[in-house]
Amino acid sequence: MFRQTASDKAFQVVNTVFLILILGMVLYPLIFVLSASVSEPEFLLKGDVWLLPKGFTLDSYRRVFRNQDILRGYTNTIKYTVLGTGINVLMTIAAAYPLSRKDFYGRNLITGMFVFTMFFSGGLIPRFLLVRDLGLYNSMWALILPGAVSVWNITIMRTFFQTSVPYEIQEAAMIDGCSNLKILSNIVLPLSVPIITVMIMYYSVGHWNAYFNALIYLTDRAKYPLQVILREILIQDNMGEMASFVDEGIIRQMMLAEGLKYAVVVVANLPVLMIYPIIQKHFTKGMMVGGLKG
Amino acid sequence: MPNNLSSAPTVVKRERRGGFPGWKAIARNWDLYLLISPVIVYFLVFHYYPMYGVQIAFRNFVATKGILGSTWVGLRHFTRFFNSFYFWRLIRNTLGIGLYELIVGFPIPIILALSINEVKSERFKRLVQNVTYAPHFLSTVVVVGMLFLFLNPNYGVINNIIVLFGGEPVFFMTEPKWFKTIYVFSGVWKSMGWSSIIYLAALSGVDPELHDAAKVDGATQFQRIRHINFPAILPTIVTLLILNVGRILSVGFEKVYLMQNPLNLEASDVISTHVYRTGLQGAQYSYSAAVGLFNSVVNFIMLVTVNRLARKLNETSLW
């Protein structure tokens, strides 16, 4: 329609180069981890691996999947994620639906009560003492109940209910004598599948990646989620049973341990990265809804 | 559907914001109150009860005596904290990381969003978005673990590059002077794409006619970004800026703690990790609750102040 001027063309080129640089910067570490995890540890330690794998081997993965700590951490994390997310989503709906209704008396007061907690909190110590007094210490409920619902997600969901589920339909159902709960389950929720999907994703990624509550509330190793095990391996350099490759020399052991870390990173993120391409559309949509000031 | 409505004056006609609708209207929605009650109980127990419990900051808390049974000592724990060797170091580090993060981390997603928005090819646009969003889904443990791997002085890839160009390996993770930079830039890597989404959402609302009109007037692409797109996302920017400035002293515990070690403590000890160390590891509950309360109060005051300032200077504010 309009002729592109020279300066616009130059801008377009600069912009594209800029974004390609960004792409490279974001992708390089991810590709490197993947390559390193399937490379022969020897090349890795000599600094011969730059981008593509060298001396292809799946040995590190074999060791990771034989590791009892990781397997148990995996199972625990799956359990906490499924249970925690279920509770999160139910609580979010239970809060968001009443607050989305104009005829719900007290909604401003209740919203205020929720939102205030985003800006002020009693802090770590009182919360810790509370969890202990409730008898949740060293129980998986300490990972689930303290974060049972997020104010931000309630706001997103409430905004969705208000903007995407026509109030007229709900009103009509009321006139037909439908109870509020019936309206919620038969009319509102079926129309809200996209936002519920987004919520499931938000919360489950949060549970999958959480380590802090486990760090402060769990003492029993058998209950540790994956992230706590990962911390031991990646950051505290504590390889546990994995480091004792009995039949190997000390240098070789060190090498294997290093290669193993990369495989551990990949294995830990596998579920999230595998579903990511499928769900990223929904994620973005949820962010957009949340971005609207509600 | 609308025809049905006109013949039914019973529902929600009366309620105006804040007006008391009468007990009958409340009773009609009894099931909604039932539905929300677990959530209210949750907030009372897990958020408001700790606010009540924070009074142990003014007492010498002994678990067996309970909160009210422990002796009242007034501001003793606060004065101890203000006079302690750690106080200025904690303030310097917390504020330093917070400011650094704000100055570097805040503008980058805005620039990224403005840049992505100018891409003509839909496929390239989607590619950039999908790739830059991905690190957001990695856990903090994994990101910090990757830092340890890449920055390892003996065989990390970054030091390999440094050595290749004839330099000396740098002990990134243990040198205090590197701590804040690594913290901030790894944060940018993880979250710049995700944080840009909100600006892209705002940009998608810009009326294309504005751009066409500007083109007719001979505006270059850069001028159009500056005078059309940037003003369009300014309210979003201000809102997020308020939130970020208000949180400048609440540097998150998780990542700092993972990156922390005895060698870089000089630069990495922040208020939240200090609370964790003295409170949970050292069991000085009252003292660390006082430190935490000090932090919460400062954060709250800052947020309210920044918001008030923004409202004065601008139409935009949080409330």
Side-chain angles (χ1 to χ4, degrees):
Chain A
M1 190 157 52
F2 298 97
R3 214 161 48 84
Q4 260 200 331
T5 64
S7 89
D8 283 4
K9 264 185 201 144
F11 179 88
Q12 208 57 41
V13 170
V14 172
N15 195 39
T16 310
V17 170
F18 169 73
L19 287 176
I20 288 174
L21 279 177
I22 297 258
L23 270 185
M25 266 159 45
V26 175
L27 270 180
Y28 181 71
L30 299 175
I31 294 175
F32 185 87
V33 167
L34 210 58
S35 300
S37 72
V38 292
S39 291
E40 188 57 54
E42 208 184 317
F43 295 115
L44 195 63
L45 261 61
K46 275 197 301 197
D48 286 345
V49 179
W50 293 105
L51 181 67
L52 297 176
K54 202 152 191 202
F56 187 86
T57 165
L58 289 175
D59 202 36
S60 299
Y61 286 95
R62 241 170 258 134
R63 285 171 201 278
V64 169
F65 284 115
R66 271 207 307 261
N67 181 272
Q68 284 311 309
D69 277 341
I70 290 185
L71 291 180
R72 203 171 43 209
Y74 232 94
T75 331
N76 285 339
T77 293
I78 292 172
K79 190 166 84 185
Y80 304 155
T81 302
V82 171
L83 198 64
T85 306
I87 291 175
N88 289 149
V89 172
L90 288 179
M91 292 279 280
T92 310
I93 294 171
Y97 182 61
L99 293 179
S100 78
R101 288 267 300 259
K102 288 185 285 232
D103 59 331
F104 183 66
Y105 180 71
R107 65 199 283 240
N108 290 333
L109 184 76
I110 295 172
T111 308
M113 174 198 166
F114 292 174
V115 169
F116 181 71
T117 62
M118 286 172 91
F119 301 116
F120 190 80
S121 83
L124 175 68
I125 305 298
R127 188 158 25 107
F128 174 82
L129 295 174
L130 168 73
V131 168
R132 208 179 57 175
D133 290 347
L134 289 174
L136 302 178
Y137 191 69
N138 197 25
S139 130
M140 71 166 185
W141 295 105
L143 314 187
I144 293 171
L145 294 181
V149 73
S150 123
V151 180
W152 185 246
N153 289 346
I154 292 178
T155 314
I156 293 178
M157 196 156 214
R158 189 204 58 191
T159 311
F160 184 91
F161 286 156
Q162 283 171 335
T163 53
S164 307
V165 184
Y167 190 62
E168 291 72 29
I169 307 181
Q170 300 181 48
E171 247 176 347
M174 275 177 231
I175 293 154
D176 292 345
C178 248
S179 74
N180 286 314
L181 295 185
K182 235 187 177 140
I183 295 172
L184 175 63
S185 64
N186 294 355
I187 298 172
V188 178
L189 290 185
L191 286 172
S192 306
V193 174
I195 197 73
I196 294 172
T197 322
V198 170
M199 287 298 145
I200 292 174
M201 297 310 159
Y202 275 172
Y203 282 121
S204 57
V205 170
H207 283 291
W208 191 270
N209 288 340
Y211 91 93
F212 181 58
N213 282 342
L215 176 78
I216 61 177
Y217 297 129
L218 294 186
T219 48
D220 188 354
R221 260 189 93 77
K223 291 178 184 160
Y224 279 179
L226 182 63
Q227 299 295 333
V228 176
I229 305 290
L230 283 181
R231 171 172 170 257
E232 289 181 357
I233 296 172
L234 294 174
I235 294 162
Q236 300 178 313
D237 224 342
N238 175 4
M239 309 293 282
E241 47 169 313
M242 269 195 290
S244 49
F245 314 108
V246 215
D247 45 333
E248 319 275 4
I250 198 115
I251 306 276
R252 177 86 184 136
Q253 279 192 24
M254 214 177 68
M255 277 187 207
L256 289 175
E258 223 30 47
L260 222 141
K261 288 182 184 172
Y262 290 94
V264 167
V265 168
V266 176
V267 169
N269 286 303
L270 220 53
V272 179
L273 288 183
M274 262 172 13
I275 53 169
Y276 171 63
I278 312 168
I279 45 113
Q280 64 81 23
K281 207 168 46 199
H282 291 295
F283 267 114
T284 318
K285 200 169 171 185
M287 278 294 276
M288 301 270 188
V289 174
L292 301 171
K293 220 171 155 190
Chain B
M1 198 72 65
N3 289 341
N4 289 344
L5 286 179
S6 51
S7 61
T10 37
V11 199
V12 285
K13 264 280 151 69
R14 247 166 311 157
E15 281 85 4
R16 240 187 263 127
R17 262 172 89 114
F20 187 69
W23 291 108
K24 246 174 131 176
I26 292 182
R28 195 175 51 224
N29 284 333
W30 67 272
D31 45 358
L32 292 183
Y33 293 94
L34 187 71
L35 187 66
I36 205 171
S37 57
V39 187
I40 292 178
V41 170
Y42 161 77
F43 276 98
L44 289 176
V45 172
F46 284 98
H47 292 272
Y48 285 92
Y49 182 77
M51 290 185 205
Y52 164 80
V54 81
Q55 58 174 288
I56 63 167
F58 304 97
R59 297 172 183 273
N60 268 338
F61 179 68
V62 180
T64 48
K65 289 190 193 162
I67 293 174
L68 293 178
S70 303
T71 9
W72 186 268
V73 296
L75 295 174
R76 190 190 296 166
H77 298 297
F78 291 89
T79 36
R80 191 187 134 201
F81 174 56
F82 296 144
N83 293 324
S84 82
F85 155 76
Y86 295 107
F87 181 70
W88 287 112
R89 179 168 100 175
L90 292 172
I91 297 290
R92 195 172 60 232
N93 285 338
T94 312
L95 202 62
I97 294 174
L99 267 177
Y100 197 164
E101 207 174 22
L102 188 72
I103 291 167
V104 175
F106 188 73
I108 290 179
I110 300 172
I111 298 168
L112 184 64
L114 288 171
S115 169
I116 289 176
N117 194 52
E118 295 306 312
V119 173
K120 298 268 167 15
S121 145
E122 273 306 312
R123 275 185 59 192
F124 184 59
K125 193 187 236 173
R126 250 205 317 271
L127 175 76
V128 176
Q129 284 178 284
N130 286 350
V131 168
T132 52
Y133 299 168
H136 171 79
F137 297 94
L138 305 181
S139 72
T140 315
V141 175
V142 163
V143 170
V144 176
M146 281 165 68
L147 286 176
F148 273 96
L149 287 170
F150 288 178
L151 300 175
N152 185 306
N154 299 320
Y155 24 76
V157 67
I158 302 291
N159 273 313
N160 285 346
I161 295 173
I162 292 176
V163 171
L164 195 73
F165 285 100
E168 287 287 308
V170 181
F171 289 73
F172 287 103
M173 298 308 283
T174 46
E175 280 217 27
K177 68 173 181 201
W178 280 101
F179 181 83
K180 294 187 176 75
T181 302
I182 296 170
Y183 179 90
V184 168
F185 280 90
S186 58
V188 167
W189 179 79
K190 186 176 194 278
S191 63
M192 66 177 165
W194 192 253
S195 316
S196 72
I197 296 179
I198 198 158
Y199 301 112
L200 282 169
L203 282 170
S204 68
V206 175
D207 186 354
E209 281 184 26
L210 280 174
H211 281 278
D212 290 339
K215 278 184 213 166
V216 173
D217 291 341
T220 65
Q221 196 168 6
F222 187 73
Q223 282 172 323
R224 281 185 283 116
I225 294 171
R226 206 176 151 254
H227 296 286
I228 300 174
N229 286 348
F230 186 71
I233 60 172
L234 197 58
T236 313
I237 294 178
V238 173
T239 308
L240 290 178
L241 191 63
I242 295 171
L243 278 173
N244 280 299
V245 172
R247 288 185 182 156
I248 213 163
L249 265 179
S250 55
V251 169
F253 169 91
E254 298 208 352
K255 197 169 153 201
V256 175
Y257 183 69
L258 290 170
M259 290 175 62
Q260 202 170 63
N261 52 54
L263 295 171
N264 65 17
L265 209 57
E266 180 59 39
S268 67
D269 202 13
V270 295
I271 298 177
S272 53
T273 54
H274 184 70
V275 171
Y276 174 77
R277 241 192 351 269
T278 53
L280 297 189
Q281 294 183 323
Q284 304 182 45
Y285 295 126
S286 284
Y287 170 72
S288 51
V291 178
L293 179 60
F294 162 76
N295 199 7
S296 299
V297 169
V298 172
N299 286 339
F300 189 69
I301 292 173
M302 283 192 53
L303 197 68
V304 173
T305 316
V306 176
N307 190 55
R308 192 162 291 168
L309 265 175
R311 195 161 36 182
K312 254 188 198 153
L313 300 173
N314 199 305
E315 295 292 278
T316 325
S317 74
L318 285 180
W319 58 81

